[in-house]
Amino acid sequence: MFETAYYEKLGLRDILEKVQAGRRLSLEDGRKLFECRDMNALGSLAHHVRTGLHGDAAYFVVNRHVNYSNVCVNGCRFCAFSKKKGDPLAFELSEAEILEKVAAQGSGLTEVHIVGGCHPDLDLSFFENLLKKIRNLRPDAFIKAFTAVEIAHFAKKEGISTQEVLERLKAAGLGMLPGGGAEVFSPRIRKMLCPEKLDGRGWLDVAAQAHRLGIKTNATMLYGHMETREERLEHMVALRELQDETGGLVCFIPLPFQPANTQLGHIPPTTGVEDLKTMAVSRLMLDNVAHIKAYWVMLSVKLAQASLYYGADDFDGTVVEEKIGHMAGAQTEQGLTRKEILRLIADAGFRPVERDSLFREVARRAEDRCA
Ligand code: V47
Ligand code: SF4
């Protein structure tokens, strides 16, 4: 139960009324929420929405990340993962090495998450063959692969349309696109931090095209670098508009910037309060996106757990091997076991629900429950 007088005192009464009535918040409402210093009041609003959608469920997935290569033609200033060809830290996995990683996971793997840099030489046929082989090797695992940025890169490299790239990859086994590469759509920020990369409009267009082809996507937001809170809100509103149009967004993932080993190493990491605020505002602004992910790799496990009270309903997954955050200084584990995730969610007071990439509940036989 909300105390209206309390929200009145905070200047948030109209927002409380909108949230209670399930009405859409404006950009100005988002500004006020970011300015609110009362974390309990803000968290309660987000928790109300989250609980209305998902009750006491908190989702997780048994997944594995695979980065096929960190060689990238772009040089985003916030990225510590990408390297140029010939750099001692550059890597490129062969098809056999990728398949070995996918095969090494015990039974019960539900999702394979595959991304890499925009590689100058790898052909689309390499990825088509790879997806086909993964599908044969692990018919039970859903393939979530290639950001909208990689899709646009493949199209440019092959001299074909992004539509054709998506169609060919879908035929080879692609299930959905992960949410990376969205960063913040603001042209001001992209010009400063990632001028070579697909622009914000381009990201939204590829996502919309994927949705129209029946390929769902996630969407991320990289925050805590040089963007303003206003630019974060504009990013959320752009995604909300996309979702109104296509309905193809599955999950939104706010990613706190990890500064180490990047060209922005002087920027201090985000604080816990800013992370929780951003989580809560995301939940409240993105009224048409069902799921908000607390990606423990970047947030820390403890803050991801707390995020479940600030609008998040998803804990992501077991991950197994993570490079993008860790090369930028993330101090978290490489992976969590299913058992650890169950404990973290239950200890936070939620009901753990194992899901697949599309958030369909996974029912496990006891013998298929990997550690
Ligand atoms: O696209 C790059 C971001 C993304 C840094 O869809 C950084 O389920 C923080 O998209 N600090 C990759 N972030 C991760 C990603 C993701 C992760 C988990 C689940 C899903 C999903 C998607 O990481 C990149 C970029 O936006 N990134 N550098 C950095 N220094
Ligand atoms: Fe390349 Fe992605 Fe890193 Fe940008 S964020 S440099 S596109 S790997």
Side-chain angles (χ1 to χ4, degrees):
M1 279 305 277
F2 290 100
E3 275 194 45
T4 310
Y6 191 71
Y7 280 83
E8 172 91 59
K9 242 196 310 189
L10 292 172
L12 298 178
R13 183 182 173 145
D14 52 336
I15 295 181
L16 170 65
E17 283 171 2
K18 282 188 189 178
V19 168
Q20 285 180 313
R23 281 182 11 241
R24 181 156 279 191
L25 300 186
S26 66
L27 206 113
E28 178 53 30
D29 293 331
R31 252 181 239 132
K32 279 193 198 159
L33 289 168
F34 263 127
E35 277 158 23
C36 171
R37 286 160 176 245
D38 188 325
M39 291 301 285
N40 288 333
L42 176 60
S44 299
L45 288 173
H47 194 61
H48 174 77
V49 174
R50 178 243 189 269
T51 307
L53 288 166
H54 308 293
D56 63 350
Y59 301 93
F60 72 99
V61 61
V62 175
N63 66 352
R64 204 235 191 266
H65 284 208
V66 181
N67 299 123
Y68 55 85
S69 172
N70 65 346
V71 175
C72 187
V73 294
N74 298 334
C76 306
R77 291 178 65 195
F78 50 76
C79 179
F81 166 76
S82 87
K83 298 288 172 251
K84 295 295 171 207
K85 258 194 145 172
D87 187 296
L89 291 176
F91 69 87
E92 206 175 303
L93 302 185
S94 65
E95 182 188 272
E97 285 169 324
I98 298 170
L99 294 175
E100 202 179 304
K101 283 181 190 285
V102 175
Q105 246 31 64
S107 68
L109 182 71
T110 303
E111 174 185 276
V112 190
H113 173 133
I114 307 170
V115 291
C118 293
H119 195 286
D121 309 324
L122 292 173
D123 294 333
L124 187 59
S125 59
F126 170 81
F127 296 106
E128 286 177 288
N129 290 331
L130 179 67
L131 294 189
K132 284 179 195 159
K133 289 190 178 160
I134 293 176
R135 195 166 54 171
N136 283 336
L137 189 66
R138 305 298 304 236
D140 47 336
F142 195 88
I143 305 175
K144 182 177 76 175
F146 314 125
T147 65
V149 172
E150 286 164 278
I151 299 293
H153 171 72
F154 299 156
K156 194 167 161 195
K157 191 177 169 304
E158 301 285 325
I160 59 176
S161 67
T162 48
Q163 164 122 356
E164 192 179 332
V165 172
L166 288 164
E167 281 167 350
R168 279 173 57 180
L169 292 173
K170 186 181 178 192
L174 178 70
M176 73 179 283
L177 305 188
E183 324 309 355
V184 280
F185 296 135
S186 152
R188 179 187 82 88
I189 290 292
R190 283 183 113 84
K191 196 166 151 205
M192 278 193 294
L193 301 189
C194 48
E196 299 117 331
K197 186 175 215 153
L198 179 70
D199 65 15
R201 189 65 261 159
W203 191 99
L204 288 160
D205 287 346
V206 172
Q209 204 166 46
H211 298 168
R212 283 193 285 270
L213 291 170
I215 304 169
K216 302 272 186 198
T217 75
N218 289 340
T220 54
M221 176 180 74
L222 180 68
Y223 68 92
H225 39 86
M226 297 174 83
E227 88 294 353
T228 60
R229 284 171 167 175
E230 185 86 7
E231 284 164 331
R232 285 184 216 169
L233 289 166
E234 285 163 2
H235 183 87
M236 293 175 204
V237 168
L239 289 171
R240 193 165 75 179
E241 285 168 3
L242 169 69
Q243 184 73 335
D244 277 343
E245 201 185 307
T246 68
L249 291 173
V250 175
C251 183
F252 179 69
I253 311 149
L255 296 171
F257 172 53
Q258 317 287 311
N261 310 317
T262 73
Q263 290 176 49
L264 305 175
H266 58 284
I267 295 179
T270 55
T271 64
V273 163
E274 192 63 20
D275 290 333
L276 293 176
K277 263 192 181 178
T278 305
M279 191 66 70
V281 173
S282 303
R283 176 61 286 163
L284 290 162
M285 292 299 290
L286 286 163
D287 52 30
N288 54 0
V289 177
H291 300 284
I292 307 286
K293 177 176 303 196
Y295 185 44
W296 58 264
V297 168
M298 308 279 191
L299 279 170
S300 82
V301 166
K302 291 183 180 186
L303 210 51
Q305 210 184 13
S307 296
L308 297 174
Y309 284 97
Y310 285 81
D313 59 277
D314 183 49
F315 207 80
D316 199 70
T318 45
V319 177
V320 181
E321 186 183 17
E322 200 287 329
K323 293 193 192 305
I324 299 171
H326 285 87
M327 286 176 87
Q331 298 296 307
T332 43
E333 296 78 347
Q334 277 291 318
L336 293 175
T337 63
R338 184 176 185 278
K339 204 169 153 192
E340 282 168 331
I341 296 178
L342 288 173
R343 185 178 89 88
L344 288 160
I345 292 177
D347 193 57
F350 292 86
R351 179 171 52 89
V353 177
E354 186 175 342
R355 62 162 179 88
D356 68 6
S357 310
L358 298 173
F359 283 79
R360 294 171 299 206
E361 190 167 344
V362 172
R364 288 247 178 252
R365 290 176 306 162
E367 61 270 30
D368 286 340
R369 281 185 201 140
C370 48

